[in-house]
Amino acid sequence: MDIQKLVSQLTLEEKASLCSGLDFWRTKPIDRLGIPSVMVSDGPHGLRKQNEQSDHLGINDSLKAVCFPTASATAASFDVETVHEIGLAIGDTCQHEQVSVALGPAVNIKRSPLCGRNFEYFSEDPYLTKELSTSYIKALQSKNIGASIKHFALNNQEHRRMTSDSVVDERTMREIYFPAFEDAVKRAKPWTVMSSYNHINGTYACESHELLTEILRDEWGFDGYVMSDWGATSDRVVCLQAGMDLEMPASGGVNDKRIVKAVQDGKLDEKLLDQAVERILKITYRYLDNAKPDTVWDLEAQHALARRIAADCMVLLKNEDAILPLDESDEIAVIGKFAMQPRYQGGGSSHINSFKTTSLMDVLEGHANVSYAQGYDIESEQPDEALIDEAVKLAGSKKTVIIVAGLPDQFESEGYDRAHLGMPACQNELIARVAAANPNTVVVLYNGSPVEMPWLGSVKAVLEAYLGGQAVGGATKDVLFGDVCPSGRLPESFPQKIEDTPCFLTYGGEKDHAVYNEGVFVGYRYYEKKKIAPLFPFGHGLSYTSFDYSNLSLSASSMNDTDSMTVSVDVKNIGQVAGKEVVQLYVSDKQSTVFRPIRELKGFQKILLAPGESKTVTFVLDKSAFAYWNVQLHDWHVETGEFAIQIGKNSHEMLLEDTVQVQSTVEVPEVYTVNTPFGDLMANPRAKVILAQMGSNMMGMLGTIGQEEQQVGDAAESAVSKDMLQAMLQYAPLRSAVSFSGGQMNFEQLDELLKVLNQ
């Protein structure tokens, strides 16, 4: 298909019409030229395809489909192959249902555990997020279905999400909030990008030329089309000029007319309109030329896949006295409404109309030694004494108790943020009283984000299942009874309390103004720097077996920042059962002159080991493992210095460490001004040489200043110490040379000095 020729045959009005949707989910056709309409649909963890009574919030029903674990759960797998399998499955589903683009993945960083949409996001860590999302996109698009990576960018809260302004510095954007988008664009080449609702530093994301053209296209090389989030468009013409091509959903022709008028009035270059239409049609025909509606969609096979994946994602947070795995022959009480009616996905636009669901009680049905009590209701937070009394009585008569608890739909959803980290009061009360009646209590959590656990010290085990998809009940049984050895790891820190979180003081913002004062210190980067112990650290997760680490080896003890190095470590299963281990590699800059985290995740691999089996795990580290974003260079930069290569069980517990000396090949120019302190000047060997070359008068100047300050010190020894005098000289700005030189120096001479120093 010759797209440019096709565009040349379109009228101005037709071109404008192609830049907005036909309805909620379809692009516009141009029947005259045989341009068809294609469909896009929500799809981060399963297809949500609506035909009649369409909406973008999940209010109306969609076709029956398979709900896989949400991103909060799949991120806990720490496994690129897991998300790859989901991408392949959703790709087959979209081909079968003739959907051209699946809207996802959502890769916004979890700035705060209060964000109502965190269940749809992967992690607080940009490295983990980018590796998982890139794998998912590659898999989905291998089926010739487009991904729409979202929400670009800094969509980190639901509160006032359509008007809020994310106020963020350049380095924080580049190090924390951009990497998942950048890596995906460069390595996975998503067909589309969805711009976010919010402002970024005063400009709507969909109106930002810097964001959508200068960074996304010119710098990163994105070659697909940019669509708006649903209803995000403010000024349609400005959006088009910025690089936002497709407005969704339909605008009833209102914004199409604005585009036409802007072109006619000379306010919009028609070449920009042509460019947007070309981008949209290129993706449209990329799908149409590879459409395979006869693709087999096996719902039962995908349900089985969803169960296997959910089990692989579950995180064993606590296992006192090795109470897990359970023995099916034991007398067991199962308590909690979620055990009968599981909460397995979040609310809003990603809500899947599951073709079936499997609860824990579904898979335990028929076991004579398993008894059930509801324990709590989800319509009210208040404890129901009758339900609790029934549960306590049952718990007291059994060897072991399983309580299935978590967050109801109204506690976390798209559209609004959580008010606190607590679970419903009825559930906390139930857990506390049941644990008092039976110390062998195991808690299973179905939730999309961290919760406080006031009862943690009273229960023997806690299994974090997150929102595990429609087969979560079967997966829960598999892990609890040892059919699957747990191998999930937390993709986010669980704080002790909300006041401990990095952005507690500013999250949500003042009206529409949300300032990211915590900078790069998000999640574990903050807790490690502040030495604040979270409830559970990033990367934490227990197993039914044990692993031994040894022989950490670095291929080099020194390297240039243009080189790469290989890191290897041996891992052995020293337990009695087969299990998967997540090997986590962190890098720590030991001599940084800028504020940097204590350590950052720069590698992870999940491996399966039989009892007694060993494997050597290998990582390759390049410049990206050591660099920070330098705001002077507007680029990634590595400072010369020593870096620690650490292998950890989680972000806090390091097992092995070695060091490498990294030499920077890029010199950051020092810019001196009249306000540069003398200490900074004299710390630069080149500056000292220049001063010496300029003669004894200049070097004597520094001595004169020091002598005058010493005289002050001699006259008032009790008030002025030697250390104080040294500090005053060290931090005095260069302009003070004029004030203290007794006429030996003027500003013209100082300007000449600065010219030489800054050459």
Side-chain angles (χ1 to χ4, degrees), residues 65-346:
V66 176
C67 179
F68 290 95
T70 64
S72 61
T74 54
S77 73
F78 269 69
D79 189 359
V80 294
E81 291 303 318
T82 291
V83 294
H84 187 84
E85 287 187 282
I86 295 175
L88 293 177
I90 293 176
D92 284 340
T93 303
C94 290
Q95 279 288 4
H96 179 85
E97 288 296 326
Q98 301 180 64
V99 170
S100 67
V101 173
L103 305 179
V107 302
N108 299 104
I109 294 298
K110 297 181 179 184
R111 181 184 175 220
S112 167
L114 294 181
C115 179
R117 207 169 182 177
N118 273 359
F119 64 85
E120 202 174 330
Y121 302 153
F122 286 106
S123 176
E124 69 187 29
D125 181 74
Y127 183 85
L128 179 61
T129 301
K130 75 184 183 71
E131 292 297 313
L132 296 176
S133 58
T134 295
S135 179
Y136 171 88
I137 294 169
K138 286 182 176 180
L140 177 71
Q141 295 190 167
S142 73
K143 298 291 186 175
N144 292 304
I145 298 297
S148 185
I149 191 168
K150 61 183 185 180
H151 311 84
F152 191 51
L154 293 141
N155 187 165
N156 307 109
Q157 65 186 55
E158 292 297 284
H159 177 64
R160 303 174 75 102
R161 65 175 180 170
M162 297 188 75
T163 56
S164 67
D165 186 8
S166 300
V167 182
V168 194
D169 67 272
E170 177 187 352
R171 182 182 164 203
T172 298
M173 281 193 287
R174 293 288 189 158
E175 290 191 22
I176 303 296
Y177 298 100
F178 280 6
F181 292 101
E182 179 180 3
D183 192 70
V185 167
K186 290 180 175 179
R187 289 170 53 201
K189 301 188 182 303
W191 291 10
T192 76
V193 169
M194 184 187 295
S195 63
S196 56
Y197 285 120
N198 50 288
H199 296 83
I200 298 174
N201 295 329
T203 301
Y204 273 116
C206 58
E207 296 181 359
S208 173
H209 187 272
E210 178 186 16
L211 187 71
L212 302 184
T213 296
E214 296 169 32
I215 294 175
L216 181 62
R217 297 188 186 279
D218 297 344
E219 183 182 333
W220 297 347
F222 176 65
D223 63 356
Y225 70 76
V226 175
M227 70 172 73
S228 71
D229 203 341
W230 266 233
T233 305
S234 179
D235 187 319
R236 184 64 186 100
V237 174
V238 174
C239 288
L240 200 57
Q241 292 168 329
M244 194 204 83
D245 307 299
L246 177 63
E247 174 194 12
M248 290 299 289
S251 62
V254 173
N255 280 331
D256 300 348
K257 293 176 182 177
R258 288 184 175 184
I259 293 172
V260 171
K261 188 175 188 304
V263 173
Q264 292 172 339
D265 293 347
K267 295 180 179 179
L268 174 65
D269 188 342
E270 191 168 356
K271 291 181 180 179
L272 289 177
L273 177 59
D274 291 347
Q275 187 178 56
V277 174
E278 286 178 17
R279 291 166 178 164
I280 294 168
L281 291 180
K282 180 182 70 174
I283 298 304
T284 295
Y285 281 97
R286 184 181 296 174
Y287 162 71
L288 291 171
D289 291 344
N290 296 280
K292 296 178 181 177
D294 58 347
T295 298
V296 175
W297 180 19
D298 189 331
L299 291 167
E300 289 293 344
Q302 287 195 0
H303 182 80
L305 174 63
R307 176 172 177 168
R308 176 167 60 81
I309 288 174
D312 243 16
C313 297
M314 293 184 181
V315 185
L316 184 58
L317 298 178
K318 179 180 180 179
N319 194 22
E320 187 178 325
D321 298 332
I323 188 173
L324 295 178
L326 301 174
D327 190 324
E328 292 193 45
S329 65
D330 290 340
E331 292 289 320
I332 298 172
V334 178
I335 298 171
K337 189 162 188 177
F338 284 162
M340 192 72 75
Q341 299 175 2
R343 180 168 182 260
Y344 59 89
Q345 63 175 323

Side-chain angles (χ1 to χ4, degrees), residues 564-635:
S564 61
M565 67 177 297
T566 300
V567 178
S568 63
V569 62
D570 293 340
V571 185
K572 182 177 182 179
N573 183 345
I574 57 174
Q576 302 303 310
V577 298
K580 294 179 180 179
E581 174 70 330
V582 176
V583 184
Q584 303 172 41
L585 184 150
Y586 295 84
V587 174
S588 176
D589 188 345
K590 310 302 276 188
Q591 299 169 281
S592 177
T593 62
V594 297
F595 294 124
R596 297 195 70 175
I598 297 296
R599 63 181 59 91
E600 297 178 281
L601 183 73
K602 295 298 179 181
F604 64 90
Q605 286 189 41
K606 194 168 195 175
I607 56 172
L608 173 64
L609 294 173
E613 184 181 6
S614 295
K615 286 184 180 178
T616 299
V617 178
T618 302
F619 302 92
V620 177
L621 303 182
D622 57 16
K623 177 180 178 179
S624 63
F626 307 99
Y628 73 97
W629 185 264
N630 186 298
V631 296
Q632 183 178 342
L633 297 175
H634 303 291
D635 199 359

Side-chain angles (χ1 to χ4, degrees), residues 648-665:
K649 291 290 289 183
N650 51 61
S651 62
H652 180 70
E653 184 183 356
M654 297 300 110
L655 303 175
L656 299 172
E657 178 178 316
D658 203 347
T659 59
V660 59
Q661 183 74 19
V662 183
Q663 179 68 41
S664 177
T665 60

